[in-house]
Amino acid sequence: MKKKRAVSVLALVLVAILALGAFSGVVIRDTGAKNKKGSNYPIKLGLDLAGGVSITYEIQDKNPSKEDVDDTIAKLERRIENYSTEYSVYKSGSDRIAVEIPGLKDANKILEELGNPGTLYFIRQTGADGKQNYTRINQTGDSEKDYKLTKSIDELKKDGSIIMTGTDVAEVAAGYSGGESVEGKAPVVNLELKSKATKIFAEETAKAHASGQSIAIFYDGKFLSVPTVSATIKDGRCEINGFTKAGRSKDENFQEAKKLATFIRAGAINLKLKEIESNVVGASLGGKALENSLIAGAVGLALVIIFMIIGYKVPGCAASLALIIYTGLVISIVQLYEITLTLPGIAGIVLGIGMAVDANVITFARIKEEIAAGKSSGNAITEGYKKAFSAIMDGNVTTMIAAIILMFLGSGTVKGFAYTLAISILASVFTAVVVSKFILKAIHALGVRDEKFYGRAKEKKMFKFVEHRVKYYAVSLCVIAAGIFGMIYYSTNSGKALNYSLEFMGGTSTTADFGKKYSIEQIEKDIVPVVRKTIKKTDIQATAVEGNNNVVVKTRTLSLNERKALASAYAKEFGIKENSIQTQSISSTISGEMRANALKAVIVSCICMLIYICIRFKDSRMGASAIIALVHDVLVVITLYALSRITAGTTFIAVMLTIVGYSVNDTIVIFDRIRENLKATEVKSKEKLREVADVSLSQTLARSINTSITTFIMVCSLYVFGVQSIRDFALPLMVGLIAGSYSSIFIATEIWYELKSRKLPKDAEKKNKTNSSKKTKKSSKNKNAVFNN
């Protein structure tokens, strides 16, 4: 590269850093100040960061038509428009509809008003048998609560007393009566029927008006309104009034009309829906999670940059500039493409920084080797990037496989993690392979050419990894055995091998900040009795959250009224604001599917990676040994979950697949070097094969350690600064990173040797063993012939 072009490249890099940095700064600022004046570029936040409510409904009708599902979604959207302009309603799977409304201050209120959309019935007062279909049980009251049915819904249907259902309603909205003066307008509900119901409604209102009777509106087991018919309604348009009550303000009266309109809209949905999952997150909890995660990312990035500059000098500086561009690039893509950012999604971005460093470390190690082989620094840079490319691409492809599988089999926040992880992989490969290469070549072209700025690979000591493989196997088996015994113990005593979260077990979880730290004894003494008094017939599992004042209470699946009662009890007994409490309810149906999807995701990932490795390396033994190493890593992390009792929930799936992808990445780098050394070495004995394995492991050892350190720094930063839910993600990930590095060095290659050496002659091995001591004393010249191919 000429000097003039080098200056242009560095100038372009500087402009990119400033532009991306400025835009990212605006995005982060606007995201933190979302919904405030001047916030034009906020990132779309998930419920765990923005607060809000999410509900998953299961369609109870069999084989619903596409038209009915689409109509139901449209009507749900119209209802939600009353609460927020930012919402998402979509079909999930074949028989579910998901609703997400972020950024709400009073999510519990919205959850109550959305309710379970059921069937709405219009019931005549007197049946064909002349008997009353419903009666007033409190003659002095005028509330809908003062009425009860005298017959079942099935009996009313047979009797012909149900004159219409919610599907006959075309439009409904709260408004004000047009017949009074502007100052004295009364709130009303305006109802418009579909044309097919107009005639029958005219007939029924004529009969009711003549006899002075009412037509009740009945929904979800309750009377919504029991208005007396004051006129025959011939055109299908009517007005429900009577909301003005003594002692209530004008706004309170209107809210009552609005509430009735909302429930009628719910009953007007064509399909019967059942709530099977709901999640309420207080905005303050989400804001704290976002702030802490941003701090974790900034601290982790700064530490990695320092590590890279100290460890790799000029190439480290180039990598650091590329990392800054990577960070700005990912933030910009997430904002511009309106990708919903979740808490695990931030973890995916932070993890991507560690993976971007990994690609640079592989390349810089190659550059050092090329300089040690006698090449000039310029040629070493060219060859280093060329030789590192295959290992970088293969490693990132396997991690991308895990991300893609999570996109299809994951749900909720896990899917958010998958999307950001995929973006991070693409951005990290681009910045590591393209951006850092041009920066490094530009710096070299400007005169920084002395090899001392790039480093020289030292003569590596060849460690006899394969010879001690039985010891490594024994260590792994002891760790895994501890996990198995732990799961057996806990399964016997508590019925749960792992500390499954609601996602895997079903139930309701309530998280609240009690303002001070509670010990287990204090929780049992002060908090559990309040829960037990408020909620009858339930097992209670209460735990304190490390690092803050939160207490999590898990119970059976609670109804909305029970959740509200518990929130009120917390407010009364402990002074906790109801809108700061986070609740999550998941049915057993959802939890069973999540367990199945978790297992399916890991199995499918392993199969896909096995196929890719076998095709790419043309060696089924490498594929098999890599998968065995993956299973090893998964079992080690499960051991952590079993013994530490960390909650195993949706992030459990993300942790496992991230570890699977990362571990394969590490293993592939070693296999790539083995493949290269095999081409340069004639292997006719087990001893020679063992030497190739040991040399390849020794050559990549520094890289494996350094890349594990940088990725560990990022994940550790998440653990230190993150909220509890992200810590439950970060801790097993840290253990997984250690296990992945361990298995790549001490398990995968050794197993590959076991499988590969079976076809080699035994007598050749014995002969080579006799002369092994002589071979180790040979000059380093022959050894370097393998190190510096």
Side-chain angles (χ1 to χ4, degrees), residues 516-529:
K516 65 176 184 178
K517 291 290 293 182
Y518 274 81
S519 65
I520 295 298
E521 292 76 16
Q522 289 173 319
I523 291 173
E524 291 293 331
K525 179 183 176 182
D526 299 335
I527 299 175
V528 170

Side-chain angles (χ1 to χ4, degrees), residues 337-578:
Y337 285 91
E338 298 184 348
I339 295 169
T340 300
L341 187 63
T342 61
L343 204 53
I346 292 178
I349 295 173
V350 173
L351 184 63
I353 295 174
M355 298 175 69
V357 171
D358 179 33
N360 282 295
V361 168
I362 295 171
T363 304
F364 299 159
R366 286 288 194 174
I367 291 172
K368 286 183 177 182
E369 290 177 9
E370 295 302 316
I371 290 175
K375 289 187 174 65
S376 66
S377 56
N379 289 332
I381 291 172
T382 302
E383 284 298 310
Y385 275 97
K386 183 179 178 181
K387 289 187 175 181
F389 183 77
S390 62
I392 293 171
M393 292 306 297
D394 288 337
N396 281 280
V397 166
T398 52
T399 311
M400 182 64 83
I401 288 173
I404 292 172
I405 289 169
L406 273 177
M407 289 179 193
F408 287 98
L409 297 181
S411 60
T413 56
V414 174
K415 188 164 286 191
F417 169 77
Y419 282 115
T420 52
L421 180 61
I423 292 169
S424 299
I425 292 169
L426 295 174
S428 67
V429 171
F430 171 73
T431 53
V433 174
V434 179
V435 177
S436 64
K437 178 181 178 180
F438 276 100
I439 294 174
L440 197 55
K441 284 195 170 187
I443 293 173
H444 182 272
L446 292 177
V448 185
R449 299 180 179 180
D450 196 311
E451 68 175 45
K452 68 182 179 182
F453 294 115
Y454 301 91
R456 172 188 286 266
K458 297 178 181 178
E459 183 178 321
K460 297 178 179 68
K461 178 181 178 181
M462 188 177 76
F463 297 97
K464 295 184 178 180
F465 291 99
V466 177
E467 184 177 319
H468 302 286
R469 61 191 181 279
V470 176
K471 297 177 183 177
Y472 311 144
Y473 299 159
V475 170
S476 295
L477 287 173
C478 287
V479 173
I480 293 169
I484 293 172
F485 285 123
M487 286 190 286
I488 293 172
Y489 170 80
Y490 284 109
S491 180
T492 303
N493 287 273
S494 66
K496 294 194 296 183
L498 300 178
N499 182 24
Y500 297 113
S501 71
L502 297 183
E503 291 91 350
F504 285 174
M505 294 296 293
T508 296
S509 169
T510 306
T511 303
D513 187 340
F514 283 77
K516 65 176 184 178
K517 291 290 293 182
Y518 274 81
S519 65
I520 295 298
E521 292 76 16
Q522 289 173 319
I523 291 173
E524 291 293 331
K525 179 183 176 182
D526 299 335
I527 299 175
V528 170
V530 173
V531 178
R532 187 168 284 117
K533 182 180 178 181
T534 308
I535 304 167
K536 309 299 182 183
K537 298 179 181 179
T538 183
D539 293 328
I540 300 171
Q541 180 184 352
T543 55
V545 178
E546 289 295 327
N548 56 47
N549 300 324
N550 288 348
V551 174
V552 180
V553 175
K554 297 179 182 179
T555 62
R556 60 172 169 77
T557 301
L558 304 180
S559 68
L560 180 59
N561 288 335
E562 287 175 322
R563 279 179 268 173
K564 288 181 63 183
L566 183 57
S568 298
Y570 277 178
K572 180 181 178 181
E573 298 293 334
F574 305 103
I576 299 171
K577 292 182 179 179
E578 292 187 36

Side-chain angles (χ1 to χ4, degrees), residues 54 76 79 103 128 158 244 247 304 306 420 480 584 655 674 713 715 733:
S54 69
L76 282 172
R79 291 173 58 205
K158 291 178 181 178
T244 302
V304 167
I306 292 170
T420 52
I480 293 169
Q584 182 181 22
V655 166
I674 289 175
I713 287 172
V715 180
L733 202 54

